[in-house]
Amino acid sequence: VVALRFFGAFILLLLPPLAMGATFPAIVRAMVISPEDTGQTAGRLYAVNIAGSVLGVLFAGTYALENLGALQTVYLAAGINLFVGLLALLMPLPTRPPVTQPSTAAHTRDTHRIILALIALSGLTGLGYEQVYHRLMVFVVGNSIYGLTILLAVFLGGMALGSYGGS
């Protein structure tokens, strides 16, 4: 029974971030005009996406949870995600020739694998930092939603600014 509950919760929790994660590559493909534009476009889209996450964290942590409650906040977030998804499905994609890769690749497959492994390691350490900082925030602001809100807003805000600056 416990294993079944765990599996059910795992699947329910996995579906929304899986769908949200799939949107970013699709948006990048739709927005990139030329191969030279890819890095800047992806970086700026990532920055805007993360900035939206900061606003969501601040709204949920400082207003929605306290005034709407957890269940209504989840319903509101789900409704917003469904609305954005429907708008995305209704929007016409720009018509332009497909982006082609240069004839000589700058990186080999092995280099790409190393880069992907390093990015995964970076994500692992980033979330590890968040866990440690969250535990340390208890000593600063106590055990409240505000500690997690501050932590996530600052962490995500730094990622958004870094991504925008790096693009």
Side-chain angles (χ1 to χ4, degrees):
V1 173
V2 172
L4 187 59
R5 283 184 179 177
F6 176 81
F7 182 72
F10 179 82
I11 294 300
L12 287 175
L13 288 172
L14 180 64
L15 293 176
L18 189 64
M20 288 184 272
T23 61
F24 190 77
I27 291 169
V28 170
R29 278 193 296 276
M31 297 287 293
V32 168
I33 296 169
S34 69
E36 299 82 26
D37 186 42
T38 303
Q40 184 177 28
T41 300
R44 293 207 170 147
L45 286 170
Y46 186 71
V48 169
N49 181 262
I50 296 294
S53 297
V54 171
L55 294 176
V57 163
L58 291 172
F59 175 73
T62 61
Y63 176 80
L65 287 170
E66 188 172 321
N67 293 292
L68 303 177
L71 188 58
Q72 295 301 320
T73 300
V74 169
Y75 288 155
L76 178 63
I80 291 170
N81 273 328
L82 287 173
F83 176 72
V84 169
L86 288 173
L87 283 179
L89 289 173
L90 296 174
M91 283 182 55
L93 290 175
T95 55
R96 62 172 83 85
V99 175
T100 57
Q101 297 297 324
S103 59
T104 58
H107 301 287
T108 65
R109 270 196 178 152
D110 290 338
T111 303
H112 282 229
R113 286 186 185 130
I114 291 169
I115 291 170
L116 289 174
L118 291 174
I119 288 172
L121 185 60
S122 173
L124 177 143
T125 57
L127 286 177
Y129 282 139
E130 284 185 38
Q131 290 292 323
V132 172
Y133 292 154
H134 184 240
R135 295 212 180 242
L136 294 174
M137 288 293 286
V138 171
F139 299 113
V140 178
V141 294
N143 190 15
S144 73
I145 187 66
Y146 300 113
L148 181 59
T149 299
I150 292 166
L151 169 70
L152 289 174
V154 170
F155 200 86
L156 292 170
M159 289 174 61
L161 290 172
S163 179
Y164 189 81
S167 64

